[in-house]
């Protein structure tokens, strides 16, 4: 009830407000629309990069055991708990030093990298249990029957992991939308 009540009150005040037309005109302004488009674009790019980087990450430590596999998992999970204010500034500083030719356009790539950096841990923690649940005998049987690595991935691994991948994409997208707002406040050029 303590979580629902503020939402109910806020929604009630928004609907019963005398200036609904004023609110609609405020939302329709170009600045609000531009901010929404920027936030959604950054979140989509951040989610795509996170999945591109994060999907191979659970495979190595969770399918094959080797010395240092837990250390790799800890290193990949650590960014999720880092301060949202500090990391964008660090990325901005590193990117300015590495790519001075970008000039004032350095902010957008830095935000996308920050979003991917933060959210790889989400993909790892969501997809790794699905990879762990994969029966190794199914993979071995497919390989014995002549399936190559691509076909094994498409026919055996993907059906097992696809729900976890979809869940990680949804969670990452939500986190990316929230973090793109805070990251853009710190990374956007002045």
């Amino acid at each position: 009830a303590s979580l629902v009540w503020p939402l109910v009150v806020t929604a009630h005040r928004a609907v019963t407000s005398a200036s609904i037309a004023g609110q609609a005109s405020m939302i329709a302004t170009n600045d609000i629309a531009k901010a929404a488009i920027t936030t959604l674009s950054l979140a989509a790019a951040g989610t795509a990069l996170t999945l591109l980087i994060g999907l191979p990450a659970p495979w190595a430590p969770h399918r094959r055991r080797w010395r240092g596999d837990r250390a790799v998992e800890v290193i990949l999970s650590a960014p999720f708990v880092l301060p949202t204010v500090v990391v964008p500034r660090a990325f901005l500083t590193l990117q300015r030093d590495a790519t001075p030719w970008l000039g004032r356009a350095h902010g957008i790539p830095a935000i996308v990298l920050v979003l991917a950096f933060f959210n790889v841990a989400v993909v790892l923690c969501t997809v790794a249990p699905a990879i762990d649940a994969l029966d190794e005998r199914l993979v071995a049987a497919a390989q014995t029957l002549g399936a190559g690595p691509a076909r094994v991935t498409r026919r055996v691994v993907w059906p097992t992991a696809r729900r976890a991948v979809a869940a990680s994409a949804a969670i990452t997208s939500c986190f990316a939308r929230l973090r793109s707002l805070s990251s853009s406040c710190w990374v956007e050029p002045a």
Side-chain angles (χ1 to χ4, degrees):
S2 64
L3 295 175
V4 175
W5 181 249
L7 294 174
V8 170
V9 170
T10 303
H12 175 58
R13 286 183 184 167
V15 171
T16 60
S17 174
S19 64
I20 290 179
Q23 291 174 3
S25 66
M26 181 187 76
I27 291 172
T29 62
N30 193 23
D31 290 340
I32 301 292
K34 195 186 304 184
I37 290 169
T38 301
T39 299
L40 293 175
S41 300
L42 287 172
T47 300
L49 184 60
T50 300
L51 291 175
L52 185 68
I53 296 168
L55 285 178
W59 187 262
H62 287 274
R63 293 308 296 163
R64 306 284 181 251
R65 295 293 174 210
W66 41 278
R67 182 177 292 239
D69 61 347
R70 294 294 176 202
V72 169
E73 193 171 352
V74 167
I75 290 168
L76 290 173
S77 299
F80 192 71
V81 297
L82 293 175
T84 308
V85 174
V86 174
V87 174
R89 278 311 217 188
F91 267 82
L92 178 63
T93 303
L94 291 171
Q95 190 177 14
R96 279 185 181 161
D97 293 345
T99 57
W101 48 270
L102 278 176
R104 293 184 61 84
H106 65 274
I108 300 299
I111 293 172
V112 173
L113 287 172
V114 165
L115 295 173
F117 178 76
F118 275 127
N119 291 323
V120 165
V122 174
V123 176
L124 180 69
C125 292
T126 309
V127 176
I131 298 294
D132 281 341
L134 181 64
D135 188 0
E136 190 66 38
R137 294 176 298 179
L138 293 174
V139 174
Q143 290 170 340
T144 301
L145 293 171
R151 190 165 190 167
V152 169
T153 301
R154 190 175 70 247
R155 296 287 189 157
V156 179
V157 176
W158 177 247
T160 303
R162 70 177 170 217
R163 287 188 180 108
V165 171
S168 70
I171 295 167
T172 299
S173 177
C174 290
F175 282 151
R177 278 182 257 153
L178 293 172
R179 285 193 168 142
S180 68
L181 290 171
S182 62
S183 296
S184 63
C185 293
W186 292 97
V187 175
E188 278 299 307

